[in-house]
Amino acid sequence: LSGAQRLTWRCAVVFFRLVLWSSNCPYTVTGLENVDPDGNYFFAANHESLWDVPLLFSVLPYWLIAVAKKSIAMVPIFGWAVAAGGTVWVDRKNSASAKKTMDEAEKSLRARPRSVLVFPEGTRTPDGELQEFKKGVFILAIQAGYPVVPVCVCGTYDVVVKGKRAIKSRPLHLKIGKPIETKDMTYEDRDKLSQMVLQQVTAMKAEWRAGQASQSGGKVEPFYHCFVPTPKADKKFWGRLPPP
């Protein structure tokens, strides 16, 4: 990363951690031992609410670019912070434009590798349940030859329910699954890959729900700590829990 890119990325991460702090949401993460601290991945996460992005950007210790619908760019401050990482904006209403954008994204990732954040459901869940995973983002992962890491976002649905404005304080958790290699996959494997990721996310969500009653709220990250640079995945840091 250049100096300007590092500064922009750091500002975006600080902003998202401040979002969690200001909403009084403590957060934890498990599964970082599954990923290479120096690797590049497609992180495929379920989409529960607007608080998913702040949680993911705060926790994942990688320079992330997101694949997101174009309308997000128009959201004041929030959209600008997402764009700071180099977001790939997809116009879902224009299939030709969307395909061109994805082809350009593939070339960019091959020329300058970095990790990618995608929401295969395509939109936020209306009821807190997992929706069908769309296969478009997995085609890009296969074409770029990136491992796909299933990620389960837990607790954000109750912070901001889709269609409502009220913000509620809730403990949040991120579960990181095991990477799925795509190097030997082809376009024909897109459905298989989608289902493999969905199965892991479904299992992680069920595991979280089974232990939800015994989970404590934890502590909210202190204000000053929101400005501390995020270390690599193999280092101790705020919210990182040891492997079970």
Side-chain angles (χ1 to χ4, degrees):
L1 295 180
S2 67
Q5 287 172 327
R6 288 183 185 278
L7 177 60
T8 303
W9 175 248
R10 281 285 302 120
C11 288
V13 172
V14 168
F15 169 77
F16 286 128
R17 284 162 70 178
L18 287 173
V19 167
L20 299 182
W21 169 81
S22 63
S23 56
N24 201 37
C25 290
Y27 65 87
T28 51
V29 56
T30 53
L32 280 173
E33 69 277 4
N34 293 328
V35 293
D36 182 348
D38 298 310
N40 290 299
Y41 300 96
F42 261 65
F43 290 98
N46 57 309
H47 203 2
E48 295 200 341
S49 85
L50 290 174
W51 256 237
D52 296 346
V53 172
L55 177 63
L56 287 157
F57 274 59
S58 297
V59 169
L60 294 175
Y62 297 88
W63 177 31
L64 294 171
I65 65 170
V67 176
K69 58 184 180 181
K70 199 172 183 179
S71 58
I72 295 293
M74 306 308 293
V75 179
I77 302 179
F78 190 89
W80 306 335
V82 175
T87 299
V88 176
W89 301 112
V90 178
D91 185 355
R92 296 193 304 192
K93 296 180 180 179
N94 187 328
S95 58
S97 174
K99 184 181 184 305
K100 181 181 179 182
T101 299
M102 297 299 254
D103 288 342
E104 291 174 350
E106 178 198 347
K107 294 177 182 178
S108 177
L109 290 171
R110 288 187 179 279
R112 191 158 50 111
R114 60 262 202 218
S115 291
V116 181
L117 172 63
V118 297
F119 294 107
E121 292 168 290
T123 188
R124 287 169 283 156
T125 174
D127 55 10
E129 300 299 323
L130 285 171
Q131 304 175 90
E132 181 183 354
F133 278 14
K134 294 177 171 56
K135 53 197 174 188
V137 293
F138 297 112
I139 295 173
L140 178 58
I142 290 172
Q143 291 175 335
Y146 274 44
V148 177
V149 179
V151 178
C152 187
V153 175
C154 307
T156 59
Y157 174 76
D158 293 321
V159 177
V160 184
V161 177
K162 187 174 182 179
K164 298 184 179 181
R165 296 184 178 182
I167 298 175
K168 301 177 182 179
S169 172
R170 292 289 188 274
L172 311 179
H173 184 65
L174 199 68
K175 297 178 77 68
I176 300 174
K178 297 184 182 298
I180 301 171
E181 287 293 341
T182 65
K183 289 182 179 179
D184 295 327
M185 291 187 177
T186 67
Y187 178 83
E188 301 303 323
D189 295 309
R190 64 195 186 283
D191 291 323
K192 174 185 174 182
L193 178 58
S194 175
Q195 287 305 307
M196 291 173 69
V197 175
L198 179 58
Q199 287 173 6
Q200 276 204 50
V201 175
T202 300
M204 289 188 287
K205 176 64 78 172
E207 185 180 61
W208 174 76
R209 283 177 171 165
Q212 189 174 7
S214 62
Q215 293 170 5
S216 61
K219 294 183 178 180
V220 176
E221 185 175 18
F223 176 80
Y224 78 88
H225 201 271
C226 295
F227 298 86
V228 177
T230 308
K232 289 186 175 182
D234 57 349
K235 307 295 182 183
K236 291 184 178 180
F237 197 61
W238 188 272
R240 295 180 181 178
L241 301 180

